[in-house]
């Protein structure tokens, strides 16, 4: 695992990125939860810490984890579909670079045999982890348990406040179940 992480962190496959490559990944062979997101944002790139922003605060709250638990690689892996900040577009960050997942994802997942729960955030993560569900509406993917050891989540960004208001069942029904499952897996 250490050699694989060193290779990922040294990767320069996407050398032309606006802020340059800076692969961000948190993983350990003993990790039990995988957070499979899109790609680090500008702030994460600058700090070198995934989800160290408003989105991360909301995600930790959703999961019922404090910072120490969330950033404990022995329990929680954070492996986005693209390990580097892809740059900004007109209405948010660009999608994760297409080269990253085929290069690293299968190797990384194979190196984490203890995974019990995968939290899938965003359509690119859905397309990789649940290809049969690609294209289905987010609300359907989040509301309906689509895989036994996976949970699709909306992105925790403040940009999704509207979705959260339109789907109050998420906080009322899904989050309590998710927190219970996470507490069970983290024990």
């Amino acid at each position: 695992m250490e050699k694989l992480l060193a290779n990922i962190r040294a990767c320069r496959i996407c050398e032309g990125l606006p802020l340059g490559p800076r692969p961000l990944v948190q993983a350990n062979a003993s990790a039990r939860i995988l957070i499979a997101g899109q790609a680090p944002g500008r702030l994460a790139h600058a700090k070198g810490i995934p989800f160290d922003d408003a989105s991360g605060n909301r995600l930790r709250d959703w999961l019922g984890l404090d910072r120490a638990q969330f950033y404990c690689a022995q329990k929680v892996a954070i492996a986005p579909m693209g390990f580097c900040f892809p740059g900004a577009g007109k209405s948010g960050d660009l999608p994760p670079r297409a080269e990253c997942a085929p290069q690293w994802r299968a190797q990384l997942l194979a190196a984490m045999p203890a995974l019990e729960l995968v939290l899938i955030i965003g359509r690119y993560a859905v397309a990789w982890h649940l290809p049969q569900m690609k294209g289905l509406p987010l609300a359907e993917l989040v509301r309906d348990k689509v895989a036994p050891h996976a949970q699709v989540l909306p992105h925790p960004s403040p940009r999704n406040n509207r979705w959260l208001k339109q789907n109050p069942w998420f906080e009322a029904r899904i989050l309590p179940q998710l927190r219970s499952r996470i507490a069970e897996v983290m024990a």
Side-chain angles (χ1 to χ4, degrees):
M1 175 63 88
E2 292 309 314
K3 183 177 182 195
L4 176 59
L5 289 174
N7 289 339
I8 290 170
R9 290 179 179 126
C11 180
R12 298 297 175 258
I13 196 170
C14 55
E15 190 62 56
L17 292 174
L19 300 180
R22 185 177 192 184
L24 298 182
V25 60
Q26 170 179 300
N28 187 286
S30 66
R32 301 181 63 193
I33 297 171
L34 169 63
I35 298 172
Q38 299 288 91
R42 181 182 306 270
L43 192 55
H45 174 90
K47 291 180 174 183
I49 303 170
F51 287 108
D52 192 24
D53 57 12
S55 295
N57 293 340
R58 178 178 271 171
L59 181 58
R60 285 186 290 280
D61 180 60
W62 285 355
L63 305 180
L65 298 176
D66 62 29
R67 286 183 66 84
Q69 293 168 314
F70 187 81
Y71 290 114
C72 176
Q74 290 75 23
K75 297 275 186 160
V76 178
I78 303 172
M81 298 310 299
F83 293 129
C84 297
F85 172 62
K90 290 181 183 179
S91 62
D93 293 344
L94 293 173
R97 292 288 297 253
E99 308 93 321
C100 193
Q103 178 70 31
W104 300 112
R105 198 144 197 90
Q107 294 175 70
L108 187 59
L109 293 176
M112 294 188 290
L115 287 178
E116 294 183 39
L117 179 62
V118 179
L119 304 175
I120 302 169
I121 303 171
R123 65 184 172 120
Y124 297 96
V126 168
W128 180 275
H129 290 274
L130 302 169
Q132 71 280 14
M133 305 291 176
K134 181 179 172 182
L136 292 177
L138 177 63
E140 186 176 324
L141 292 169
V142 172
R143 184 181 53 244
D144 302 334
K145 188 70 172 165
V146 295
H149 300 292
Q151 175 65 56
V152 176
L153 296 173
H155 196 283
S157 166
R159 289 176 176 253
N160 274 344
N161 287 342
R162 182 176 173 199
W163 187 92
L164 294 169
K165 283 184 181 182
Q166 292 172 341
N167 297 282
W169 50 265
F170 172 70
E171 289 183 317
R173 185 169 56 90
I174 301 297
L175 288 185
Q177 293 171 3
L178 180 61
R179 286 183 189 121
S180 176
R181 177 72 176 123
I182 286 172
E184 177 184 300
V185 170
M186 293 286 284

